[in-house]
Amino acid sequence: MKKILIVDDEKITLGMTKHILDLDYETFCAKSGKDAIRIYKAERPDMIVSNLQMPDMSGFELQSTLQHQYAERIPVIFMTAAAEDEEIEIKGVDIKSINLIRKPFRADVLLDKVEEVFARVKKVRGNRVPTETDPMTGLYNKSSSQLEIGDMCREVKGTLMMIDIDNFKQVNDVYGHNMGDKILIRFAEIVRAAVRNNDIAGRMGGDEFIAFCQNVSSEEIIAGKDRFMNEELLKSAKEFMGEDMNIPLGVSVGAVMAPDEGTDFLTLYRKADKALAAAKQEGKHKHNLYVEDKKDKDGKENPVSDIEKEMLTLGESSMGKGAYKVSANEFKTIYRFLTRVGQNYQKENRLIIFTISPGEGSKKLGDAVSKFNDSLCNSLRNSDVVTLSGKNKVELILLEAGALYCEMVIERVLENWKKLDPSEKFEVTYEVELIR
């Protein structure tokens, strides 16, 4: 039987709504948004029917808070006493786009609305398409992976796998970022081949991937997928970089089974991440299945901590390739932070300012600066930071960059620019300083 959480600060409406829905659904009642959050955590209902305007927390605020905490699409029907021709002032929300029922309502109207929303949810989940994909690999990006897997793991048993490429940084350091991109794109194809069409695969950022495999409950199957990905990645690496390639590339997998270890994304993600860390500690190129007892010494469920939820929210949904592009103000904040770091730790972080100057008769300086900026970013690590400064300057922060490495980076940047400007219509000069 499906579960419905009813939220209303009006006692009469709360009781009446419960009475209508009790025959067909298992219901839970909350008198405030705070109570609703507590009950949602304990019962994980399939739908929420909530009063739209409440004193402490509106229905929209409740929905937003829960979706932020659980990374799930939560179907909500909002109840309102506002007349049909009365304006409901909700900033940024189109009333026609939400599930709305007006008080007072008949029992058949409420039941029809609930059935309609459940049917729509079922249709959407049955015809899931990538709403947001990682631009490099075409897999789901971080935020979409959370939502899609969050929807699926609540209803379908299976295995969540955190997948990480071992020693990938060495590819970028030795062969450059273009080669690193080739490896990431090929590995995304390998991950796709390791799962089925009705499974979900995504890229969480950098060299970290994720997959949810429906109805997989055998460690032997997980081991087979891990073995397949390791073998195919090594073949591809030698194909791209030569048979003499000696970087110990491989794949580590952290796996956790649902519903045995949880039915929400954040709980499963935390446990799969622990298993991944264990696989790496055991020597990499292998899998680890999370099997720890999920209860503490008092027999209570170990909750996902607030800081773990916040870290997942703060992280980038899709890291993208090359350096981290930021605004001038964001760059200034990062620079000021690094000056503090430099005062307390012996870190060689460097500021480089590139100046692009037009030669005689050269035009379109703006286009040249934009092209140089893109070329620069593609030549750097994703831990380096870049911003445009004024009309003809690009500023760069290189993290933990010794003098020799800094020279190598500048040489690579200028070589790549020369390919884009072979006739040298624009002159590029630079200045370098240690950030202290």
Side-chain angles (χ1 to χ4, degrees):
M1 181 177 287
K2 290 189 179 296
K3 299 179 179 181
I4 296 180
L5 171 59
I6 307 164
V7 190
D8 203 316
D9 56 318
E10 297 174 0
K11 188 175 180 180
I12 294 175
T13 305
L14 191 66
M16 181 189 71
T17 307
K18 176 176 172 58
H19 178 73
I20 294 171
L21 297 175
D22 263 349
L23 287 175
D24 298 312
Y25 305 98
E26 185 178 357
T27 60
F28 306 89
C29 293
K31 296 179 181 179
S32 67
K34 185 176 180 181
D35 285 344
I37 291 171
R38 176 181 55 79
I39 294 171
Y40 186 92
K41 179 180 180 180
E43 301 297 340
R44 306 306 299 278
D46 301 288
M47 178 185 291
I48 298 174
V49 177
S50 174
N51 192 16
L52 182 58
Q53 294 148 320
M54 295 182 288
D56 298 325
M57 180 184 292
S58 72
F60 284 124
E61 290 169 335
L62 172 62
Q63 182 187 37
S64 175
T65 299
L66 290 173
Q67 290 188 162
H68 173 78
Q69 286 188 7
Y70 293 94
E72 297 171 347
R73 295 187 183 94
I74 302 169
V76 181
I77 294 175
F78 297 105
M79 302 179 287
T80 178
E84 195 163 341
D85 58 350
E86 183 179 336
E87 180 181 0
I88 304 174
E89 295 183 357
I90 305 161
K91 188 176 181 180
V93 176
D94 179 7
I95 295 300
K96 295 179 181 178
S97 69
I98 65 175
N99 302 309
L100 195 67
I101 186 168
R102 299 184 185 278
K103 302 177 185 178
F105 45 75
R106 300 197 315 266
D108 60 328
V109 173
L110 175 61
L111 289 169
D112 285 348
K113 175 63 74 172
V114 169
E115 289 178 11
E116 173 195 327
V117 173
F118 272 136
R120 195 184 314 139
V121 169
K122 184 177 180 180
K123 183 178 179 181
V124 168
R125 289 176 179 170
N127 296 283
R128 53 179 78 242
V129 294
T131 53
E132 288 188 52
T133 56
D134 174 59
M136 179 184 293
T137 64
L139 298 177
Y140 283 115
N141 64 17
K142 181 179 178 179
S143 58
S144 292
S145 295
Q146 286 181 237
L147 289 171
E148 296 297 327
I149 294 174
D151 284 347
M152 184 173 284
C153 66
R154 289 184 65 190
E155 299 183 354
V156 180
K157 70 177 183 178
T159 296
L160 178 69
M161 297 192 301
M162 292 298 302
I163 306 163
D164 192 83
I165 303 178
D166 300 323
N167 306 307
F168 174 75
K169 183 177 181 296
Q170 294 182 36
V171 176
N172 284 335
D173 290 346
V174 176
Y175 293 92
H177 288 275
N178 287 337
M179 180 60 70
D181 292 348
K182 287 182 180 179
I183 293 294
L184 289 173
I185 293 167
R186 173 62 64 86
F187 186 66
E189 295 170 0
I190 293 170
V191 172
R192 279 196 195 94
V195 301
R196 297 157 299 183
N197 289 338
N198 60 343
D199 296 330
I200 294 173
R203 182 184 177 209
M204 298 299 279
D207 58 356
E208 190 174 90
F209 294 75
I210 192 169
F212 186 85
C213 300
Q214 297 186 56
N215 300 313
V216 170
S217 56
S218 163
E219 187 171 358
E220 185 179 348
I221 294 176
I222 298 167
K225 292 179 184 296
D226 175 56
R227 190 164 49 249
F228 169 80
M229 288 188 287
N230 267 291
E231 291 172 355
E232 292 301 315
L233 177 60
L234 187 58
K235 285 181 189 175
S236 297
K238 289 185 175 181
E239 174 189 336
F240 290 148
M241 293 177 276
E243 289 292 328
D244 59 345
M245 186 278 303
N246 59 5
I247 295 174
L249 272 184
V251 180
S252 292
V253 174
V256 61
M257 293 183 182
D260 299 358
E261 298 292 346
T263 57
D264 67 276
F265 177 83
L266 289 172
T267 297
L268 293 170
Y269 178 87
R270 180 188 67 169
K271 294 178 178 180
D273 198 46
K274 283 184 178 179
L276 177 62
K280 288 186 171 292
Q281 289 172 1
E282 291 165 6
K284 302 182 179 180
H285 302 9
K286 59 179 62 180
H287 78 280
N288 182 280
L289 178 64
Y290 183 94
V291 292
E292 183 182 330
D293 185 355
K294 62 182 175 181
K295 303 229 174 149
D296 63 19
K297 62 182 180 181
D298 298 320
K300 296 180 180 178
E301 189 85 11
N302 283 320
V304 179
S305 69
D306 289 340
I307 194 168
E308 287 172 317
K309 294 174 185 174
E310 189 63 17
M311 286 172 70
L312 196 60
T313 302
L314 288 172
E316 292 181 80
S317 62
S318 181
M319 194 171 293
K321 62 185 291 188
Y324 185 30
K325 295 181 182 179
V326 298
S327 68
N329 284 335
E330 291 169 330
F331 190 89
K332 186 185 296 183
T333 300
I334 294 170
Y335 177 85
R336 289 174 176 175
F337 170 72
L338 290 175
T339 59
R340 296 188 177 210
V341 171
Q343 291 168 8
N344 293 281
Y345 304 95
Q346 297 300 315
K347 298 290 185 183
E348 290 193 74
N349 301 318
R350 297 178 189 273
L351 173 67
I352 306 175
I353 300 179
F354 292 96
T355 302
I356 299 91
S357 304
E360 188 175 345
S362 298
K363 298 179 180 180
K364 298 184 177 179
L365 175 61
D367 290 345
V369 172
S370 178
K371 286 181 181 179
F372 178 82
N373 185 42
D374 290 340
S375 175
L376 173 66
C377 289
N378 291 335
S379 304
L380 300 171
R381 304 167 297 184
N382 56 23
S383 58
D384 300 323
V385 187
V386 170
T387 192
L388 291 171
S389 176
K391 293 182 179 180
N392 69 329
K393 296 183 187 298
V394 180
E395 298 186 16
L396 160 66
I397 292 175
L398 279 183
L399 292 179
E400 297 191 25
L404 182 60
Y405 177 74
C406 184
E407 288 177 15
M408 291 172 56
V409 169
I410 292 172
E411 184 179 344
R412 182 166 69 237
V413 168
L414 295 179
E415 284 179 357
N416 289 342
W417 173 245
K418 193 172 182 179
K419 293 175 184 176
L420 295 175
D421 184 32
S423 57
E424 299 183 357
K425 293 180 180 178
F426 296 88
E427 181 186 10
V428 176
T429 56
Y430 62 88
E431 298 173 82
V432 185
E433 284 291 342
L434 194 64
I435 298 176
R436 296 185 179 90

